[in-house]
Amino acid sequence: MAKTVTVTIDGVKVEAPEGELMIEAAKRIGHHVPNFCYYPKLEPAGLCRMCLIRIEGQPKLQLGCNTRVTDGMVIDTISEAVETGRRAQVEFLLLNHPLDCPVCDKGGECVLQDYAMAYGDVASRSGMPKMNKPKAVDLGPTIVLDEQRCVLCQRCVRFDNEITWERNLVTASRGVYTIIATEGDQPYDSYFSGNTTELCPVGALTSKTYRFKARPWDVTPTLTVCTQCPVGCSTFADSRFDVLQRTRYDHETIDPHGDPAGDWICDRVRYNISYLTDERRLNTPMVRSGEDQWVDLAWSDAIDLAASTLKDAAEHFGPQAIGAIGGGRLTNQEAYLLQHVVRGLGSANVDYRLHDELTATPGRLAAQVHDLDDASLIIELGTNSVELAPVFDLRVRYAVERRGATLVHLGDVKPNWPVHFRHFPTEGDAASMLNEAAENVRRGEDLPKRAGEPPAQTLARLLRGAERVVVIWDGRGASEAAAIERLIGLLRDADKGAGVIVVGYAANARGAESMGMHPALQPGYRPAPQAGLDTEGMLRASASGELKALLIFGANPLLAYPNGALVRAALERVPFIVTTELFMTQTAVKSHVVLPVKAAFEKTGSTTTMDGEVKQLAISCAPQAGEPLTDREVLALLGDAMGLQMPSDSELEQLAAAAAAPELARAFSFTSPVLARTVRPAATPAQGAFTVHSVPRLYAGGGTSAHDTAFEPLRPHPTAYLHPGDVEELGLEDGDTVTVRNGLGAVDGLTVVTSKKVARGSIGVIAELPEAPVNVLADDCGSVHADVVLIRKGRQALNLAGAQGE
Amino acid sequence: MASYEPVLTKGIGEADLTDIGVYRSRGGYEQLRRAVREMEPDAIVGMVMKSNLRGRGGAGFPTGRKWSFLPKDGRPRYLVCNCDEAEPGTFKDRMLLEQTPHQIIEGIMISAYAIKAARAFIYIRGEMRQGYEIFMRALEQARAANLVGEKICGSDWSCELVAHRGAGAYICGEETGLLNSLEGKRGEPRLKPPFPANSGLYNMPTVVNNVETLVCVVHIMQRGEEWFASIGPVKSPGPKIVSISGHVRKPGNYEVPLGTPIRELVYELAGGLFEGRTFKALQPGGGSSACLFEEHLDLPYDFDSIAAAGSMLGSGAMVVMDDTTDMLDAAWVLQRFYAHESCGQCTPCREGTHWSEAMLERLLHGHGREVDVSLLGTVGDKIAGHSLCALGDASVPFLQSVVKRFPEEFLRGAERVAAIQV
């Protein structure tokens, strides 16, 4: 804790931590020091020269953004001398500013507009024509730049350098001709690009999706939570006439003094929002009649149909013939109700896990996200936080670049990290490497560093030298779970800080797990008296005809589940499938009753972040067509129709809150024997020359991302990443079109991208793309082999966004 | 004056000092050998401190004090020799580079030893292609003679000297702009604090010194700090190379003791004005210094006297202007330079230099407004003291001094418009 000093600001004595920036100290007495380039989460830059203040005893005006308070300092922020200095800067900035406020998106929330009113003259003294700089510059797939409006505060450039470490944005040319540009004139392609529009103090950087859409005073802001990934970022949703116009972070409100690493939002939530009003959205319940025939139903009829069929199935075939798979789109309350309904019918066949995970809750081995800041070694295992939890990933980058942490990735495909990291290929067996390294550490051998040593040995040395270790894991694999438990136990026994963070695949996976959406766990992680079938078990029971009715709530297993062959067989065989969906997804098409539901922005409820924090959703807009209900309403109606004892609204809130209690999660152990999963028969994988790896991509998916016209340009193009050596051997070139196929199926229309991120003999295929679903190649959740077949030579006009980061 | 014998420029024009044999035969590198074999680094810092040597690059900051700011925290330190000489009117470092490169190397290596630098760098202005080639040959000779590199002169001390060529930006002569450029970044000055002494090259403690400053160190070693301190005024002693150019008969570099009267520099050393011309003004310290006039000619040429007269000694570049000089034209040429060289980072310099340039251009073409002439001064006030680095400040003094002294020459540019309006 810093020492407190007393300073006098504008005649008022203020206590402030020693070394605090004056611009922050002035806020303590409510005095705003005007600025453009200063931003609490960025390093001071001193570029705009607007935050001039006077310090007693110093002849020149000083910068509020780069002068730190010391005891006894006398500062003035509102005197004539200071104002004169600021007026000069505003006059300079307006010399070449177009003053096109009436057509500028920033109008109404523009800092320059405010300061022009406060410090500007009525008329210009220059008498010169304004400089022409490029307007409507297309910086990349998301951002349009107006160079003429730009005040060159470089907040965007600095964000891109200091926060994301991606270094896409630069300044080009010099003097009065200086402009913001991209490195090498490449498109500004970043998962965080939208943050620059919010950082921009003027109307220079605008989002393609929000340009000319609304005025800040016309929109109604609602603070809610993003449900696109497990990070659970707080987000403002601005709506006009119940239509969502934009999402934004708004640090001033949410996190005015926050640390630089956390609390930004990514472009998925910023730009993937027009699905809400997409015309493909389902707006009425439907029942399938025949192969591809659908008939609209009234809600009451749809609920009656579902309820009676489920009841009949339970009566005729026993409750075990009913199962439910629920996705991470559900709120805690909805997850609670779903398992309540299934368990109410006497079944325990309920699971949230769609990616063959073991767990979403790190439990007693947990590290908190903030622990990354002090970590000396970060080991990422299996997962890819760049793609699966982007804002969390900013904190990983911060830990590496600013706090000197060592970052190690154990896995088969190198992640697109812009920061320095070490990659240890595991050939599908990260657990063995972790075990070997742990064993090495336990034996305490002091091994000299040498070239060409096995990765486990290097990892052991890193572990020995590390005081605080954080493991990032996707929650997959029982052997991985055991290895992580062993390693963390070993480190903790040695009085080192150690813990694991689970970065899973579904947004509210942790909430679902805590709500008992789990065959072996009841709400609050209580072991179920009799475990039901897990996802794999339900799919197998479906395929074998034992399961007669399946509820699929907010999930798309046909696209997401690694064992594609099994899901296909299962969905073909189950006689009755009820799905709640926003769109006719791959899974919905195979269902018998499809119920339209509301999206996360349209409902209330709570969601649990990967860190265990419970956050509240708020209604920020409304469906524009039809009559979708929330999953919660659907489940309540269904439960009532089946005569189940359903909790009242207030009871449900209490039950959900009790189940989400942090101490319950802290006591949980993901290696507990009660979590034993369905035993899989040994598969004989299809043969092929290449090992196929599913590569996660933030913008992939078959739901909101595939049904959003405005988001379409950002969606990844189906891509096959191949090692340069293999590309040469196969006689391929970048841009060629190939099919990847084995005995089970084929993924067509993949564009070849040469990448050293995959090993020789491996092929990376983007996962969860409906137009090229990679799981058709698998009849097992393990390794997949396939061959590469050239379909067409030559580069076609492809969407470059698909090759991003390579 | 007659009693002063040049030391920094000694031998230039008489012998080929670019050859290491010639340089050594005249006592060269003896001081480096003595320093690394016989002296403690701190003793050298003490000598430089006592000599009152002030930086020759423009700011005139006491060199010994600059060295003493380095934190003693075990981090590697760097010495950077600033040879990005680009101040308008200055050509002393270029001469030293081309004529006596070994003296620079010796100065760098002694100073690097004194501050215990892990590595030394010299940043050579991009346009000095010839000087760079000469320097690189000298550096090779010095390395072969064990004067640079491993275990220098048989001592335990090792230090590499790296030469880097600039790409022609004036702003890279500003020490933090230079450091950014040296690191491979865009040549933009850094926000201070932190200062280079604490966080300079690659965020390590760094000293940036001018070429001439480091050359002075060789002679402080050779003749002692008392000798150096005894030359010229107490507060700014020592020999100084003055680059005299403009309307004089014998423009060139002249080494003089600081404190020599300006009149002597112009009329004796530089041969005075051309036939039939009269003195109008001079810039005593490069393009960034305010003009001095007739009444200042008897001032002693040293840091403090020039500062007291409202200008600065700067890099020691004297530009003499006679009565044929059109001040509007001169002001426009210089202002165009600053607007062109502004890096564009900070508001006042980026916008202000360009605004002034545009007004001057308009006046020059007779399209100006009367108000522009007073605005030239006002804009200067808005830049001065507000810019991120010294470039913004540097663009102001000359313009303001000549507008104040010769307003009629500027108002002429507004006449045509005034006439049309009438």
Side-chain angles (χ1 to χ4, degrees), chain B residues 363-405:
Chain B
L363 288 166
L364 199 65
H365 291 97
H367 303 307
R369 305 172 303 174
E370 207 173 305
V371 66
D372 288 345
V373 181
S374 62
L375 263 177
L376 283 172
T378 317
V379 172
D381 289 341
K382 285 167 175 281
I383 303 172
H386 296 152
S387 56
L388 189 143
C389 78
L391 194 151
D393 294 339
S395 72
V396 177
F398 175 77
L399 180 60
Q400 284 196 339
S401 67
V402 293
V403 170
K404 190 173 167 203
R405 180 80 167 207

Side-chain angles (χ1 to χ4, degrees), chain A residues 413-428:
Chain A
V413 180
K414 268 192 189 179
N416 287 332
W417 266 318
V419 295
H420 184 261
F421 68 102
R422 305 182 68 158
H423 173 69
F424 297 149
T426 54
E427 284 161 13

Side-chain angles (χ1 to χ4, degrees), chain A residues 457-478:
Chain A
Q457 204 163 314
T458 315
L459 187 58
R461 183 169 335 90
L462 291 172
L463 280 166
R464 254 198 302 280
E467 273 311 302
R468 284 169 300 274
V469 180
V470 174
V471 178
I472 303 171
W473 176 44
D474 62 354
R476 263 156 108 159

Side-chain angles (χ1 to χ4, degrees), chain A residues 44-49 52 60-61 63 65-66 84-85 87-89 91-93 95-96 125-128 131 151-152 154 171-178, chain B residues 168-170 186 188 191-193 339-348 350-352 354-355 358-359 362 369 372 375 378-379 382-383 385-388 393:
Chain A
L47 303 179
C48 70
R49 321 304 284 184
L52 296 167
K60 275 167 67 170
L61 296 176
L63 293 183
C65 75
N66 195 41
T84 306
R87 272 197 295 275
Q89 309 317 318
E91 180 165 23
F92 282 141
L93 288 174
L95 278 178
N96 289 307
R125 294 195 287 177
S126 84
M128 295 185 302
M131 277 193 56
V151 292
L152 291 166
Q154 296 193 29
T171 49
S173 197
R174 68 179 187 191
V176 78
Y177 305 102
T178 307
Chain B
Y170 174 62
R186 192 175 149 93
E188 285 176 335
L191 182 62
K192 289 174 264 187
H340 181 65
E341 296 294 345
S342 167
C343 78
Q345 265 194 113
C346 77
T347 310
R350 175 182 73 234
E351 303 291 341
H354 176 73
W355 188 2
M359 282 192 288
R362 188 157 60 174
R369 305 172 303 174
D372 288 345
L375 263 177
T378 317
V379 172
K382 285 167 175 281
I383 303 172
H386 296 152
S387 56
L388 189 143
D393 294 339

